[in-house]
Amino acid sequence: MTAPLDVPATPTDPAPVPTVAGVSATAIQGRSLGQIAWMRLKRDKIAIAGGLVVIFLILVAVFAPLIVGLFGHDPIQFNSDLIDSSTMAPKDGTGISAEHLFGVEPVNGRDIFSRIVYGARISLLIAFLATLLSVVIGTLLGVTAAYFGGLVDSIISKTMDVFLAFPILVFAMALAGIIPDDAFGLTGDTLRVALLVFVIGFFNWPYIGRIIRGQTLSLREREFVDAARSLGARGSYVIFREILPNLVAPILIYATLLIPTNVVFEASLSFLGVGVRPPTPTWGGMLSDAVRFYTMPYFMLFPGMAIFITVLAFNLFGDGLRDALDPKAR
Amino acid sequence: MTDPLLSVQNLQKHFPITKGLLKRQVGAVKAVDGVSFDVVKGETIGLVGESGCGKTTTGRLITRLIEPTGGKIVFEGHDITHASQGRMRPLRRDVQMIFQDPYSSLNPRHTVGAIVGAPFRIQGIKTEQGTKKAVQEILELVGLNPEHYNRYPHEFSGGQRQRIGIARTLALKPKLIIADEPVSALDVSIQAQVVNLLEDLQNELDLTYVVIAHDLSVVRHISDRVAVMYLGKIVELADRKSLYESPMHPYTNALLSAVPIPDPKRRKERERIRLQGDVPSPLNPPPACRFHTRCWKAQEICSQVEPPLLALATGHQVACHFPENAPAPGAVSTTGEGLVTADGGPAAGDGTAAE
């Protein structure tokens, strides 16, 4: 392509006239990328529905004591009077009544509604904290690996491979066995939650780390990074001011998609008995208890549904978020 | 002659090719292999050549975005060839770069104000009436609306985005601007605008440009002197008029013959020189004269003795054993003029090479 620049009088000579370059000042109001993404997200009804369910679940978890106080019973309170002592099942099969909306559990007659509500706390708390841990480690190491490259990249990438190959379930079970009831200055549920957050979060970071590394590799080659460097910017400036703002979208997307994975993971660990210990209610633990009464599948219904709805809502919301923030990724 | 603003001496950049676990070096891409030129204050020097000839690498070496393998870069008397980032930082105010792709050179997450204000922030410069005022003045200078301060790059067209990039470059009032293909990503109609803007700014702010381009028309329009590069070396360096009117190096001739002529009658009169084959790999460039594999004038000596870059006429340097349009064989600037014409061939070439 060759410009007809030899022509002596080029039609436009813009410098002295500021209006040549574009629209007048009072024209359309500019929109930031965030506003554009929000507009796209608003149009995606399914994602919005997912998002509303997510908000509802978070509210349930936060206000669990209030909700339980209004409707039901303490989640660890036994109601032996509702249990048939010969079959160990609730007297009318489910125990549903005005007082026990979802019925009661077999054997000890604990209120299922209260346990589901409180279970949301443990599930979401662990899923959020573990995701946060993964995202922080993954982002830091991913950006570091890609930005500095060379030996640093080799070491971090190989570490990711090692972590991905790690039999995390076996490790978690072993760890749950050897950690005493109080360790690291923590006891009881706090210790168990911290342990689960560590195990789930610390072994999941390579997934997000790889994504961030790849994104950073491509961002690093963009000319705005060169522009910053040619202005004399230090590495920290380039990473925090130029690269990280461009990683917000992938971080948000993959964090939202990692949360449901972690919900399932936490439920699996609780199911296997290496999660938070009874009598503290967890969805996985409730499923595990219900398995003993497999002839009465009703008791699997609510914990199973809770996990299913949580995972589905987060996934739908995460997918919508990805479409809104990164329309080219589809 | 006054001291040049920028002096590049025998600059080299070899990108190593490594193999295996131990990163054994098995070869090197000789992207820039011995480039020398001076830039005088206030002039515009154009750097032309095909893709992969090392012109962009040269620009990035001068701004020290990449580390030179050899040679010397002297800016205003400071040797900045291997200056540390810390030592380089204050000098970066004076040497700035305009980037090729206006879509990739602006951070999509920053507002125009943040992009053009970044130089002040990075260099820690306080302006009298605040950064915002300074940025708006620069925006106005490059023909953008100062009200666009809070807009994001995606709201602008390619030409406007390139103006934003130019505004950022000008923020610190640099002395030397390296423009790496400043218009090649733009529409032809917008190219003229941006080229004219660059010229106006040069007059207004007393700028010195090194313009890297593959478009000979753009270079002809904007440059005072032109350097033609081939495979990491400068093959011809002359002022604009003599380069375009009487090119000496066969490669320059071939390049110029490829420039489209808008007039069909004139086009028929011109003889189109078609080069055979591809540009050889810079991994393993041909020995001696790098152009001899594709040169129709090549003789044995071309593959044995490397022709040095010599001034065959006043201000016209060329690296060729058999230059065309040459006034006198071996007439180096020190010797007198008016010798025999260059058609003589081998003997003249020998003489040149021996010196």
Side-chain angles (χ1 to χ4, degrees):
Chain A
M1 40 171 242
T2 310
L5 288 175
D6 306 329
V7 184
T10 26
T12 39
D13 190 2
V17 199
T19 47
V20 165
V23 263
S24 66
T26 48
I28 333 140
Q29 188 63 42
R31 278 198 298 262
S32 74
L33 291 178
Q35 286 168 315
I36 290 173
W38 172 234
M39 279 186 51
R40 280 200 215 105
L41 189 63
K42 268 199 296 195
R43 278 200 293 264
D44 189 345
K45 293 286 178 290
I46 293 174
I48 289 295
L52 288 177
V53 174
V54 165
I55 292 171
F56 171 74
L57 286 167
I58 293 171
L59 289 177
V60 165
V62 170
F63 295 109
L66 271 178
I67 297 166
V68 166
L70 278 177
F71 285 98
H73 304 258
D74 193 85
I76 55 172
Q77 174 200 318
F78 282 27
N79 296 299
S80 310
D81 52 318
L82 299 173
I83 301 297
D84 185 331
S85 54
S86 60
T87 62
M88 299 307 280
K91 275 174 180 159
D92 58 355
T94 58
I96 293 179
S97 65
E99 257 187 74
H100 303 284
L101 291 172
F102 291 177
V104 293
E105 286 192 326
V107 183
N108 45 37
R110 290 181 295 205
D111 182 51
I112 292 180
F113 177 76
S114 302
R115 291 182 70 76
I116 292 287
V117 169
Y118 265 91
R121 282 198 139 180
I122 297 287
S123 262
L124 292 185
L125 181 71
I126 290 176
F128 271 109
L129 289 180
T131 304
L132 185 70
L133 184 66
S134 298
V135 165
V136 169
I137 301 176
T139 305
L140 278 179
L141 291 180
V143 170
T144 309
Y147 185 76
F148 293 102
L151 190 64
V152 178
D153 187 22
S154 299
I155 292 173
I156 293 177
S157 297
K158 294 288 180 291
T159 313
M160 287 184 194
D161 292 343
V162 169
F163 269 81
L164 288 176
F166 209 84
I168 164 173
L169 209 58
V170 178
F171 177 79
M173 289 166 78
L175 202 63
I178 56 163
I179 296 279
D181 282 342
D182 54 319
F184 315 115
L186 302 169
T187 50
D189 283 354
T190 326
L191 175 67
R192 290 288 142 185
V193 168
L195 208 62
L196 284 173
V197 167
F198 170 75
V199 169
I200 300 173
F202 191 67
F203 286 90
N204 265 336
W205 71 264
Y207 294 100
I208 197 144
R210 278 190 166 176
I211 290 159
I212 295 297
R213 176 177 169 272
Q215 294 273 338
T216 310
L217 277 180
S218 88
L219 284 172
R220 197 184 63 158
E221 300 304 319
R222 300 275 287 275
E223 282 182 343
F224 61 77
V225 170
D226 282 338
R229 285 179 54 217
S230 76
L231 287 165
R234 292 176 176 83
S236 58
Y237 181 97
V238 173
I239 289 178
F240 288 106
R241 299 282 319 219
E242 301 286 343
I243 292 180
L244 265 187
N246 285 287
L247 292 174
V248 169
I251 289 174
L252 263 181
I253 293 161
Y254 288 100
T256 319
L257 294 175
L258 189 59
I259 288 172
T261 319
N262 287 349
V263 167
V264 173
F265 205 159
E266 185 274 332
S268 318
L269 290 176
S270 295
F271 183 86
L272 291 169
V274 294
V276 177
R277 289 190 172 165
T280 307
T282 62
W283 295 341
M286 289 172 77
L287 270 181
S288 171
D289 288 343
V291 167
R292 283 186 285 152
F293 291 86
Y294 59 89
T295 50
M296 291 175 272
Y298 171 77
F299 300 109
M300 293 183 197
L301 182 66
F302 283 103
M305 283 291 284
I307 295 171
F308 171 73
I309 290 171
T310 309
V311 171
L312 186 67
F314 270 102
N315 273 331
L316 292 178
F317 181 64
D319 279 344
L321 201 62
R322 181 178 54 203
D323 293 345
L325 287 173
D326 192 4
K328 281 171 278 179
R330 261 195 280 195
Chain B
M1 194 171 128
T2 49
D3 279 345
L5 182 69
L6 172 79
S7 175
V8 175
Q9 292 152 24
N10 195 27
L11 191 62
Q12 290 178 322
K13 178 65 192 179
H14 297 178
F15 293 103
I17 295 172
T18 54
K19 210 175 181 179
L21 202 63
L22 294 171
K23 306 268 181 229
R24 194 162 38 90
Q25 186 173 338
V26 292
V29 175
K30 292 171 180 146
V32 175
D33 203 15
V35 162
S36 307
F37 60 91
D38 286 352
V39 185
V40 186
K41 189 163 174 46
E43 79 167 339
T44 301
I45 186 161
L47 222 50
V48 290
E50 327 173 47
S51 309
C53 72
K55 52 193 194 300
T56 296
T57 308
T58 307
R60 296 166 66 90
L61 285 169
I62 296 170
T63 48
R64 285 296 313 283
L65 282 172
I66 45 180
E67 190 73 21
T69 311
K72 212 169 161 190
I73 306 165
V74 182
F75 178 74
E76 283 198 312
H78 303 278
D79 183 351
I80 58 166
T81 320
H82 297 290
S84 66
Q85 288 302 319
R87 254 201 67 208
M88 199 59 206
R89 193 161 293 121
L91 285 170
R92 290 197 182 278
R93 291 178 200 176
D94 294 335
V95 186
Q96 277 296 304
M97 191 155 182
I98 297 173
F99 290 90
Q100 173 174 9
D101 180 1
Y103 290 89
S104 131
S105 67
L106 307 178
N107 193 330
R109 300 276 156 187
H110 290 179
T111 60
V112 171
I115 291 169
V116 181
F120 297 107
R121 204 165 43 239
I122 293 171
Q123 289 280 351
I125 291 174
K126 297 269 183 295
T127 45
E128 268 175 49
Q129 290 152 310
T131 309
K132 183 171 179 180
K133 188 91 181 76
V135 168
Q136 292 187 326
E137 275 169 18
I138 303 162
L139 288 179
E140 203 154 357
L141 185 68
V142 298
L144 287 169
N145 191 331
E147 308 274 333
H148 291 166
Y149 187 84
N150 281 322
R151 298 280 183 89
Y152 284 86
H154 68 92
E155 300 174 64
F156 295 90
S157 70
Q160 287 175 312
R161 293 172 71 122
Q162 195 61 311
R163 283 167 194 265
I164 298 170
I166 292 171
R168 169 176 59 194
T169 308
L170 292 174
L172 299 175
K173 308 228 174 339
K175 294 174 182 155
L176 176 69
I177 291 181
I178 315 287
D180 182 8
E181 307 258 14
V183 296
S184 58
L186 305 175
D187 275 1
V188 171
S189 58
I190 309 295
Q191 288 190 348
Q193 285 185 16
V194 172
V195 165
N196 287 336
L197 172 67
L198 288 175
E199 289 197 316
D200 291 341
L201 290 170
Q202 182 169 38
N203 296 335
E204 211 164 316
L205 303 173
D206 196 18
L207 298 170
T208 307
Y209 289 132
V210 174
V211 177
I212 297 160
H214 61 256
D215 187 329
L216 290 161
S217 317
V218 170
V219 168
R220 181 174 199 169
H221 188 80
I222 199 170
S223 308
D224 300 314
R225 288 196 298 147
V226 180
V228 181
M229 284 186 75
Y230 184 78
L231 268 180
K233 281 188 185 296
I234 291 183
V235 294
E236 186 160 6
L237 173 62
D239 59 84
R240 168 179 55 177
K241 195 160 177 285
S242 60
L243 186 108
Y244 280 87
E245 283 172 9
S246 55
M248 294 192 189
H249 200 281
Y251 178 63
T252 314
N253 270 300
L255 278 186
L256 288 176
S257 84
V259 174
I261 295 176
D263 180 353
K265 268 186 226 147
R266 272 175 59 210
R267 189 168 15 190
K268 271 180 204 147
E269 288 164 19
R270 180 183 62 181
E271 192 193 346
R272 172 84 165 87
I273 303 168
R274 286 180 202 281
L275 291 180
Q276 300 299 312
D278 286 332
V279 184
S281 162
L283 190 61
N284 188 16
C289 177
R290 293 188 169 190
F291 189 58
H292 80 259
T293 50
R294 300 169 78 194
C295 184
W296 63 96
K297 297 180 91 179
Q299 301 196 13
E300 215 180 320
I301 180 173
C302 295
S303 57
Q304 285 160 359
V305 183
E306 180 166 350
L309 189 65
L310 290 175
L312 293 190
T314 316
H316 198 137
Q317 291 173 290
V318 63
C320 182
H321 292 305
F322 311 106
E324 300 183 12
N325 302 321
V332 190
S333 52
T334 48
T335 47
E337 283 174 39
L339 295 172
V340 208
T341 40
D343 297 341
D350 264 337
T352 320
E355 273 172 41

